[in-house]
């Protein structure tokens, strides 16, 4: 499937829209702080592709593997859009190693076995040079054995629980020390929270995140967990939970509910009278993308721990937001994972051009210390452990669906996917 995909519409075909997109496309490479790489002559295919990838003299093919359908589509659509925007901008600048990027898109359909099947297709049948994809940890865990067996390359954009490092994966979202531990410290120091109620969807990321959170709460904050509940993905019934929260009366609800379940969860909180005026709630899983479904009026006053919010006030983010809205409409929004997904193609491009090759081993070796000096989120750098140095932020939900940043780590935090004492 080429870039003129399901997200294109008739407006994008107009000359005016093409000129607008083309004008915006020239800015992001400089905005991300990546060095410009020019080629007086396009390097021969035999030199840049020695492992049988889908590379020709004029094109290189990559894969996209996200949930365009099912309960996770509410969260993953933004990732699909951001990756395509980055690829369009890269193509407008001449592509990678002088080759335009083609895309084969596959739908994980919010189903983990489907993710494994589609990843195998992309790597073994389509021979893609890289894959931008997955959202949940369950989907990542499902595809990881395939990528490691076939020596594929995955750029994974979601904040996650950590406790993983693979040669074949670059993690452009936050891990636990950057998102969970920093946020809990803020909740304790700023909001004086002493009791916590942990709520999550029932799969790997929420359960592991809450194990890490519980240990930090009990052993480092010397506070107490007064409840812990899990619900299947896609659940829309939380009424019994509302009664448990009222009985426990926690200082902080710590929420890791994901996907479409968020819509029901936050509406039922409000209906039960559990509002920000009465209850402090901190979540790891609600971005601007989810608030579109939840409704700003149902989330305003609650808090999210992320590394990016659309409202960030810097010139590079303003350019990114402008380009995204020009591409996908004035009402579109950008969440944390959407921005992290946007970084993936740029990091891959920089690594390929530093390596002078699309070969996975060479790209991996060239990736260490790539800096995005002025990414929309602010400074980021690829660490040797394949995670990004990033600042941590706390945003307060607003009625218009945006976030007000109320706290920021002073400096980018070194990613530590295996924090001592939490494994």
């Amino acid at each position: 499937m080429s870039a003129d995909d399901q997200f294109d519409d008739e407006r994008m075909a107009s000359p005016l829209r093409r000129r607008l997109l083309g004008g915006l496309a020239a800015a992001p490479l400089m905005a991300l702080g990546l060095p410009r790489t020019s080629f007086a002559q396009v390097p021969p295919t035999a030199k840049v592709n020695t492992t049988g990838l889908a590379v020709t003299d004029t094109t290189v093919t990559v894969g996209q593997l996200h949930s365009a359908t099912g309960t996770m589509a509410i969260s993953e659509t933004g990732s699909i859009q951001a990756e395509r925007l980055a690829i369009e901008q890269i193509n407008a600048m001449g592509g990678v190693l002088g080759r335009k990027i083609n895309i084969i898109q596959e739908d994980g359909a919010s189903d983990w076995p489907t993710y494994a099947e589609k990843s195998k297709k992309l790597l073994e049948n389509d021979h893609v040079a890289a894959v931008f994809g997955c959202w949940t940890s369950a989907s990542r865990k499902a595809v990881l054995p395939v990528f490691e067996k076939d020596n594929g390359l995955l750029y994974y954009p979601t904040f996650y629980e950590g406790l993983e490092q693979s040669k074949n994966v670059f993690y452009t979202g936050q891990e636990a020390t950057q998102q969970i531990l920093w946020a809990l410290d803020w909740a304790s120091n700023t909001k004086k929270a002493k009791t916590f109620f942990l709520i999550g969807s029932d799969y790997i990321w929420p359960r592991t995140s809450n194990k890490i959170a519980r240990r930090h709460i009990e052993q480092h904050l010397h506070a107490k967990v007064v409840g812990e509940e899990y619900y299947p993905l896609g659940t829309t019934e939380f009424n019994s939970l509302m009664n448990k929260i009222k009985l426990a009366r926690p200082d902080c609800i710590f929420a890791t509910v994901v996907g479409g379940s968020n819509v029901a969860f936050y509406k039922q909180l409000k209906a039960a009278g559990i509002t920000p005026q009465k209850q402090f709630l901190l979540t790891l899983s609600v971005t601007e993308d989810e608030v579109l479904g939840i409704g700003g009026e149902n989330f305003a006053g609650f808090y999210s721990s992320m590394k990016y919010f659309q409202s960030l006030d810097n010139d590079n983010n303003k350019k990114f937001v402008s380009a995204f809205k020009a591409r996908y409409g004035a009402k579109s929004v950008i969440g944390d994972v959407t921005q992290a997904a946007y970084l993936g193609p740029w990091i891959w491009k920089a690594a390929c051009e530093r390596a002078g090759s699309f070969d996975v081993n060479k790209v991996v070796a060239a990736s260490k210390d790539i800096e995005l000096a002025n990414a929309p989120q602010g400074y980021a750098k690829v660490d040797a452990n394949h995670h990004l140095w990033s600042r941590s932020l706390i945003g307060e939900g607003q009625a218009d669906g945006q976030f007000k940043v109320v706290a920021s780590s002073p400096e980018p935090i070194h990613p530590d996917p295996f924090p001592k004492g939490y494994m």
Side-chain angles (χ1 to χ4, degrees), residues 336-354:
D336 179 278
V337 184
T338 299
Q339 191 262 174
Y342 178 74
L343 302 182
W346 291 104
I347 294 171
W348 175 69
K349 171 185 169 66
C352 289
E353 295 186 342
R354 179 186 281 184

Side-chain angles (χ1 to χ4, degrees), residues 181-249:
L181 305 187
W182 191 85
L184 288 171
D185 287 345
W186 174 82
S188 176
N189 295 332
T190 303
K191 294 294 186 178
K192 309 304 179 186
K194 294 297 182 183
T195 59
F196 294 79
F197 198 118
L198 314 181
I199 302 165
S201 296
D202 194 3
Y203 73 98
I204 297 169
W205 175 67
R207 284 190 174 273
T208 307
S209 294
N210 283 340
K211 284 182 181 178
I212 293 169
R214 178 183 281 270
R215 180 163 295 188
H216 194 68
I217 289 165
E218 293 176 345
Q219 297 187 11
H220 295 269
L221 301 181
H222 306 294
K224 186 177 181 181
V225 175
V226 295
E228 186 169 356
E229 298 284 331
Y230 296 94
Y231 296 83
L233 277 170
T235 291
T236 58
E237 178 52 62
F238 293 98
N239 286 326
S240 64
L241 173 63
M242 302 303 145
N243 293 328
K244 292 177 182 178
I245 292 171
K246 288 180 177 180
L247 287 171
R249 300 178 64 184

Side-chain angles (χ1 to χ4, degrees), residues 62 67 75 79 87 119 133 145 177 179 220 264 299 307 312 322 395 412 416:
V62 302
S67 295
S75 298
S79 298
I87 288 168
S119 66
T177 61
Q179 187 183 32
H220 295 269
F299 190 80
K307 69 172 179 176
L312 286 179
S322 179
D416 182 6

Side-chain angles (χ1 to χ4, degrees), residues 48-334:
V48 301
N49 177 33
T50 69
T51 57
L53 299 173
V55 179
T56 72
D57 291 344
T58 58
T59 64
V60 54
T61 300
V62 302
Q64 267 193 309
L65 180 56
H66 288 290
S67 295
T69 58
T71 189
M72 292 309 303
I74 186 176
S75 298
E76 297 194 57
T77 296
S79 298
I80 298 170
Q81 292 173 328
E83 289 158 1
R84 286 181 170 271
L85 175 62
I87 288 168
E88 288 171 357
Q89 292 172 331
I90 290 168
N91 281 342
M93 301 178 70
V96 181
L97 293 172
R99 289 159 173 85
K100 296 296 181 70
I101 304 170
N102 289 334
I103 303 169
I104 297 175
Q105 182 179 345
E106 297 292 346
D107 182 7
S110 305
D111 177 70
W112 322 143
T114 298
Y115 268 93
E117 173 191 338
K118 297 296 187 181
S119 66
K120 186 174 182 179
K121 172 190 175 293
L122 287 169
L123 295 178
E124 297 182 6
N125 294 356
D126 301 318
H127 304 291
V128 297
V131 176
F132 305 97
C134 299
W135 201 100
T136 65
S137 286
S139 65
R140 190 192 69 256
K141 292 289 189 184
V143 307
L144 184 59
V146 181
F147 277 85
E148 292 185 336
K149 172 181 174 291
D150 293 332
N151 198 29
L153 192 55
L154 174 66
Y155 289 82
Y156 175 69
T158 315
F159 42 78
Y160 86 116
E161 69 280 1
L163 308 183
E164 181 180 295
Q165 181 178 336
S166 172
K167 168 204 159 186
N168 298 92
V169 183
F170 285 90
Y171 308 80
T172 62
Q174 290 172 296
E175 45 72 46
T177 61
Q178 296 169 315
Q179 187 183 32
I180 300 172
L181 305 187
W182 191 85
L184 288 171
D185 287 345
W186 174 82
S188 176
N189 295 332
T190 303
K191 294 294 186 178
K192 309 304 179 186
K194 294 297 182 183
T195 59
F196 294 79
F197 198 118
L198 314 181
I199 302 165
S201 296
D202 194 3
Y203 73 98
I204 297 169
W205 175 67
R207 284 190 174 273
T208 307
S209 294
N210 283 340
K211 284 182 181 178
I212 293 169
R214 178 183 281 270
R215 180 163 295 188
H216 194 68
I217 289 165
E218 293 176 345
Q219 297 187 11
H220 295 269
L221 301 181
H222 306 294
K224 186 177 181 181
V225 175
V226 295
E228 186 169 356
E229 298 284 331
Y230 296 94
Y231 296 83
L233 277 170
T235 291
T236 58
E237 178 52 62
F238 293 98
N239 286 326
S240 64
L241 173 63
M242 302 303 145
N243 293 328
K244 292 177 182 178
I245 292 171
K246 288 180 177 180
L247 287 171
R249 300 178 64 184
D251 294 334
C252 175
I253 296 173
F254 189 73
T256 52
V257 177
V258 306
S261 294
N262 275 306
V263 177
F265 176 60
Y266 287 98
K267 287 183 177 180
Q268 288 171 36
L269 280 174
K270 186 175 183 178
I274 303 173
T275 64
Q277 291 73 33
K278 302 176 182 178
Q279 177 67 61
F280 167 47
L281 180 147
L282 176 62
T283 178
L284 306 181
S285 53
V286 173
T287 75
E288 292 86 341
D289 292 299
E290 285 77 21
V291 175
L292 269 182
I294 294 167
E297 70 280 5
N298 297 312
F299 190 80
F302 292 140
Y303 297 88
S304 285
S305 172
M306 299 290 165
K307 69 172 179 176
Y308 171 86
F309 294 103
Q310 183 180 313
S311 59
L312 286 179
D313 188 15
N314 67 66
D315 289 342
N316 297 285
N317 185 49
K318 290 175 182 177
K319 291 175 184 176
F320 170 54
V321 172
S322 179
F324 194 92
K325 288 180 174 291
R327 179 65 174 84
Y328 297 112
K331 294 183 179 180
S332 60
V333 298
I334 305 167

